[in-house]
Each structure stands twice: as structure tokens, then as C-alpha cells.
Amino acid sequence: MSLSEAHKNHDAFMGRCLELAKHAEGLTWPNPMVGSVVVFDGKIIGEGYHLKAGGPHAEVNAINAVANQELLSRSTLYVNLEPCAHFGKTPPCSLLILQKKIPRVVIGCVDTFSQVAGKGIKMLKEAGVEVITGILERESRELNRRFFTFHEQKRPYIILKWAESQDGFLDIERETMPNSRPTWITNEFARRAVHLWRSREQSILVGSVTALKDNPSLTVRDWSGSHPLRLVLDRNNKLPDYLSLFSGEAPTILFCGKDEDDSKHTEKIIIPDDASPIPIILDELWKRSIQSVIVEGGARLLRAFIDMDLWDEARVFHGNKWFENGIKAPSIKKTPLYQENFKDSKLLVYRNIS
């Protein structure tokens, strides 16, 4: 087989690893999404993926799926992320690979998590295993961009999300009052997509103006899955305790100016008067191993993240309505990565890549 043919085969089998890994999107926190296949004589004889933290890793599931275990000593194992070499909630995958005498391992990308970070590759090579790295490396890092951002930048992956009218407004001018109805810009298909996103991310943040105007629940109502951790920024302690965010329906953290004795069903974190709230919020998420946050706040909160260059992705819906005046939407001075249509609503996705 030529080198080019071998490389094509590597790409195909690694592509299957990535497909498998995606089955557990939003379910593996704080672990990454990982898929693995075992190949013998050019055919997949076992495959698996990591289902959830604390459960068997992808390599274990793929190896256990091989009916004839004697073939493992003549097979190649593919995995989109470097096998671990440390004892955590499960034994090291690199050790299992050695115990099964698998002679070749093909890896998508190195795991930069400090407890792995090349140790798995080193263990395999020192034992005489042929290790090939960098196969679909960009795609492998893309799949686990939240995981890599968290461990490399010591903060969660930040997704900004808003909807704007065709003439560039977030909202009409409305009174800031509890229980007022949201001004819908997008259609039901776009709103359902937002609930899907919520089910895949670990937390969601809004400011006090949005909480008062729209009285949102920030839960997964139109999709299945777990509710994200709700984060509410209320520096001036002006939010009433009967808002939906304080219903106790989902875990909630209130970032506020002082700890008042009230009936809010929420944990409180105090923000000093002279402190910027965004670094405090991000640091708190880092401490709690929260790897992603959707910012669904109003114009001021969104612009604050943009001005501080603290964002990784922006998902901007454009509806078919015209407001003529109102609250101006933030602007992203980048070319969209891609565009998607939801009938009469259009989604533009941006990445903050220099």
C-alpha cells in the first residue's frame, strides 16, 4: 500500500472516531468527546465512544467490542484524542492497550490536559508501540474546542448569542418591567435550535435588564436534555424574587452587589463595587470546572464581552422584522464562518480567530 493510500485510510478511520464521539455531545462533561475504532486487515472489528464521565473511555469500549480478542495483537487502534496514562475514575487506557498487545495506535491530537499532555504517547512508544499522531488533528481539536479552551486558557468556552432585526436592532424600546413579553425576532425553528444549544452547553448567562424585560426561564423546554447552570448578573440587586430564574427549576447562581435576605432559590456570589464582573464570573466557572457558557444577555453585556475580546464564538440570528428604532445590536467585525437558514430566519456563526 502506498503512503497516500495509507493516509487516506487513516483519515477514513479517524473520521469514524469523530462520528462516534459526537454521539455523546453535551453528555461527557468535564471529559472530552472521544471515539475509537479497532481495525484489522483494513476493516473495523470494534468501535465505541465515551458515554459520560466516570464511565469507560472510548478505547475500552472499542476494545471490548472486538469479538475475537486474539486479533488485537495484529490490529490498529484509532482514537481522536491521546489515550490517558493516569489513574482517575477509570484505569489508564494506555495501560490497557499494552495489556492487549495492540501494536499500532493512530491518534487525532495530543491531549493538553496536564494529567495527560503527552504521557500516554510516551508510555506507548517506550513499550514499543508504533504511534502515529496528527491524523485529522484540526478536526479533532475542533470537536473538543470547549475542552481545549478550558484547559489551555483557564476559562470556559464563551458563546455569544443574540437575534437582531433586519435593520440591526435587538429590541424595540420597552419599559424595563417584570413579566413583560419578549419581542420575538426569529421563528419557532430558530428558537428550538437555541434550546438544543442549551442542552449541549454547561451554563448560560443573562444580565438584569434581560431578566426583567423577558422574565426568561433559560431552560431546555423545546428539547430533551439537562438544563444548563443559570447565571444571573444583578450588580444593583434590583431583581424581584418571583422571576422564573429564581423558581428553583434549575441550578442558578446570582452574581450580585450584596447578599440580601430574600427568598430567591439561588446561590449568591458577591461582586465588589470596584470590580469588573466578567472576570469574576469566568473565574468562578473555572473553579467549578464549567467548560462552556452561552451569553444571552442584552446589548450592554454582549458588548462588554466583545470589548474585552472575551469570546470564542458568536451565533447571530437575523429575523425578517424591521424595528426602525430601538436597542442597537452589537457588531462583529469578522467574516462569518458559515451561515444556516431557519426558514425566514438566518443564522450567522462567527469565530474569534486572529
Side-chain angles (χ1 to χ4, degrees):
M1 180 184 295
S2 68
L3 288 176
S4 61
E5 289 174 331
H7 188 77
K8 287 180 180 179
N9 286 340
H10 288 332
D11 285 358
F13 292 131
M14 190 60 67
R16 178 56 182 163
C17 292
L18 295 172
E19 288 178 358
L20 290 166
K22 288 178 184 176
H23 289 322
E25 187 170 13
L27 303 175
T28 63
W29 312 112
N31 293 351
M33 293 177 280
V34 185
S36 180
V37 300
V38 179
V39 175
F40 174 75
D41 197 22
K43 296 180 180 180
I44 294 176
I45 59 173
E47 60 182 30
Y49 60 94
H50 182 49
L51 292 164
K52 63 178 181 178
H57 288 187
E59 302 95 314
V60 176
N61 289 330
I63 289 170
N64 289 341
V66 176
N68 184 356
Q69 293 280 298
E70 293 181 358
L71 297 179
L72 290 171
S73 62
R74 292 180 285 156
S75 298
T76 300
L77 182 139
Y78 289 78
V79 61
N80 60 285
L81 189 68
E82 175 185 1
C84 61
H86 65 286
F87 283 88
K89 294 182 179 180
T90 59
C93 293
S94 294
L95 185 59
L96 176 64
I97 292 169
L98 297 181
Q99 290 172 345
K100 295 296 183 177
K101 296 181 170 53
I102 297 174
R104 183 184 300 105
V105 176
V106 181
I107 298 169
C109 64
V110 174
D111 187 343
T112 54
F113 175 43
S114 59
Q115 292 187 354
V116 183
K119 297 181 181 71
I121 292 173
K122 182 180 178 182
M123 177 187 289
L124 294 172
K125 285 185 174 181
E126 288 180 347
V129 175
E130 179 187 356
V131 179
I132 300 171
T133 60
I135 302 300
L136 298 188
E137 181 175 18
R138 182 182 62 80
E139 293 85 349
S140 296
R141 283 187 60 86
E142 167 70 13
L143 176 71
N144 283 305
R145 58 191 182 277
R146 297 160 182 82
F147 177 82
F148 286 118
T149 297
F150 181 80
H151 288 291
E152 294 171 5
Q153 300 190 36
K154 311 303 180 188
R155 64 163 176 80
Y157 187 85
I158 301 168
I159 302 169
L160 308 182
K161 174 263 168 183
W162 72 84
E164 62 182 73
S165 63
Q166 288 198 24
D167 47 353
F169 293 99
L170 290 178
D171 199 355
I172 59 174
E173 291 292 350
R174 288 188 290 155
E175 293 294 328
T176 302
M177 57 182 294
N179 298 316
S180 62
R181 300 183 68 83
T183 305
W184 291 114
I185 295 175
T186 57
N187 58 43
E188 61 179 305
F189 302 101
R191 292 195 289 272
R192 195 173 302 160
V194 171
H195 286 235
L196 167 62
W197 297 344
R198 290 177 183 174
S199 74
R200 291 177 173 174
E201 309 302 336
Q202 284 191 279
S203 64
I204 185 167
L205 170 66
V206 295
S208 57
V209 174
T210 298
L212 275 172
K213 279 187 175 181
D214 296 344
N215 191 17
S217 297
L218 303 185
T219 56
V220 181
R221 300 186 306 278
D222 295 335
W223 205 265
S224 61
S226 300
H227 301 312
L229 173 66
R230 303 185 296 191
L231 312 170
V232 187
L233 176 58
D234 182 23
R235 295 200 65 160
N236 297 319
N237 294 77
K238 62 184 179 182
L239 296 180
D241 57 17
Y242 51 80
L243 292 178
S244 297
L245 288 167
F246 307 128
S247 66
E249 183 180 6
T252 306
I253 300 176
L254 177 64
F255 293 88
C256 53
K258 57 184 177 179
D259 189 0
E260 296 180 327
D261 183 15
D262 58 26
S263 58
K264 293 185 177 74
H265 298 279
T266 179
E267 179 183 354
K268 299 182 185 67
I269 293 177
I270 307 304
I271 298 178
D273 291 339
D274 59 348
S276 173
I278 291 177
I280 292 175
I281 293 170
L282 296 181
D283 186 59
E284 188 63 34
L285 295 180
W286 161 255
K287 292 176 183 176
R288 295 170 184 252
S289 295
I290 302 296
Q291 294 183 8
S292 66
V293 58
I294 303 175
V295 181
E296 281 200 19
R300 180 188 296 182
L301 186 59
L302 289 165
R303 288 194 186 105
F305 276 91
I306 294 171
D307 290 345
M308 297 175 73
D309 200 31
L310 279 173
W311 65 282
D312 300 288
E313 189 172 320
R315 302 174 183 177
V316 183
F317 280 108
H318 292 258
N320 67 343
K321 296 182 179 178
W322 292 80
F323 288 166
E324 296 185 356
N325 56 59
I327 299 172
K328 199 69 178 174
S331 62
I332 297 286
K333 293 179 171 51
K334 292 183 179 291
T335 302
L337 184 68
Y338 66 88
Q339 172 182 318
E340 187 174 351
N341 292 322
F342 293 79
K343 288 200 169 181
D344 60 354
S345 296
K346 178 174 64 176
L347 171 67
L348 300 180
V349 177
Y350 301 83
R351 288 284 178 81
N352 192 10
I353 301 172
S354 56

